[in-house]
Amino acid sequence: TQLLEQSPQFLSIQEGENLTVYCNSSSVFSSLQWYRQEPGEGPVLLVTVVTGGEVKKLKRLTFQFGDARKDSSLHITAAQPGDTGLYLCAGTNTGNQFYFGTGTSLTVIP
Amino acid sequence: KAGVTQTPRYLIKTRGQQVTLSCSPISGHRSVSWYQQTPGQGLQFLFEYFSETQRNKGNFPGRFSGRQFSNSRSEMNVSTLELGDSALYLCASSLEAGTYYEQYFGPGTRLTVT
């Protein structure tokens, strides 16, 4: 069962544009992580959000956890080619099992 | 602090053979999880080990097995390899940070079955 749906699945934009990636579920999560993965490598943890409504910023990336802790968004301002990669969200409930989203493949064209 | 390491990075095997992959977690992390990643199915959870015990298991056939040693290093084994087992196998170690866990991934082992 796929608990987390990400949209869009693919995104190709020009350098300097803004974008938002969504991660949605019908389940409540106690925490949610965002990762970026480059081809042939493992995902790299970007951020963890744990409180409903929480907003975290990482340079040009802004992460928000939904009030009901069922969804999250990732907004990138002024995208750069170095932002290219596969973005994955992952939710956890009680315990240590992670449920991964379907992924969003981002390409930023110089 | 060193990150999660996986060996080997690349592996080519023939159908019917078996394979063992190794993972060394971040120092101090006692939980190790294994995932299979393919273009069509995304990241699929295989199993999680904590203090040498399997704590969670995904929906994979019994050909996939794992174990964890007292130093938290983990191995996963796939027997009777099939073409569909070709994938990137990822290991992640995690640490409880208050009321939630954070997971850190290794670079993966790329397995090709011919």
Side-chain angles (χ1 to χ4, degrees):
Chain A
T1 303
Q2 186 66 55
L3 296 181
L4 284 163
E5 293 287 338
Q6 286 184 237
S7 61
Q9 188 176 357
F10 298 97
L11 194 52
S12 181
I13 62 171
Q14 295 288 329
E15 181 176 359
E17 291 184 351
N18 302 331
L19 67 115
T20 302
V21 176
Y22 299 93
C23 174
N24 294 303
S25 174
S26 57
S27 302
V28 175
F29 293 102
S30 57
S31 69
L32 193 135
Q33 286 78 29
W34 283 94
Y35 297 83
R36 180 171 66 220
Q37 184 179 22
E38 298 189 13
E41 298 294 329
V44 174
L45 178 65
L46 296 173
V47 78
T48 299
V49 286
V50 296
T51 305
E54 182 177 6
V55 176
K56 279 192 174 179
K57 292 194 174 185
L58 186 67
K59 297 183 180 177
R60 294 175 293 100
L61 279 60
T62 301
F63 305 86
Q64 183 161 10
F65 202 11
D67 291 341
R69 291 186 288 129
K70 292 182 178 182
D71 54 80
S72 181
S73 64
L74 158 60
H75 182 79
I76 301 179
T77 303
Q80 298 178 1
D83 296 326
T84 292
L86 178 68
Y87 288 82
L88 294 160
C89 63
T92 60
N93 290 319
T94 54
N96 188 29
Q97 186 153 4
F98 286 71
Y99 301 90
F100 277 84
T102 47
T104 295
S105 180
L106 171 65
T107 301
V108 181
I109 302 165
Chain B
K1 193 180 272 191
V4 179
T5 58
Q6 292 187 245
T7 55
R9 289 293 311 273
Y10 303 93
L11 208 47
I12 299 175
K13 290 286 188 178
T14 304
R15 265 185 309 176
Q17 288 186 314
Q18 74 158 12
V19 67
T20 299
L21 311 181
S22 182
C23 170
S24 292
I26 293 171
S27 178
H29 289 196
R30 292 194 292 164
S31 170
V32 174
S33 298
W34 287 90
Y35 295 86
Q36 181 195 67
Q37 187 176 34
T38 59
Q41 296 296 318
L43 261 171
Q44 302 287 313
F45 172 72
L46 282 156
F47 29 67
E48 183 228 353
Y49 286 86
F50 182 85
S51 293
E52 302 179 66
T53 301
Q54 188 181 85
R55 193 161 64 170
N56 289 302
K57 187 177 188 303
N59 189 27
F60 276 80
R63 300 185 297 108
F64 292 83
S65 62
R67 59 177 176 169
Q68 187 180 32
F69 302 95
S70 58
N71 61 358
S72 294
R73 190 177 69 85
S74 177
E75 290 180 347
M76 69 161 279
N77 184 77
V78 188
S79 62
T80 320
L81 283 165
E82 301 177 358
L83 294 179
D85 296 333
S86 293
L88 181 67
Y89 288 87
L90 292 160
C91 164
S93 73
S94 58
L95 180 68
E96 187 174 2
T99 59
Y100 62 93
Y101 286 83
E102 289 191 332
Q103 204 165 64
Y104 298 86
F105 284 86
T109 294
R110 170 71 63 185
L111 172 65
T112 302
V113 182
T114 61

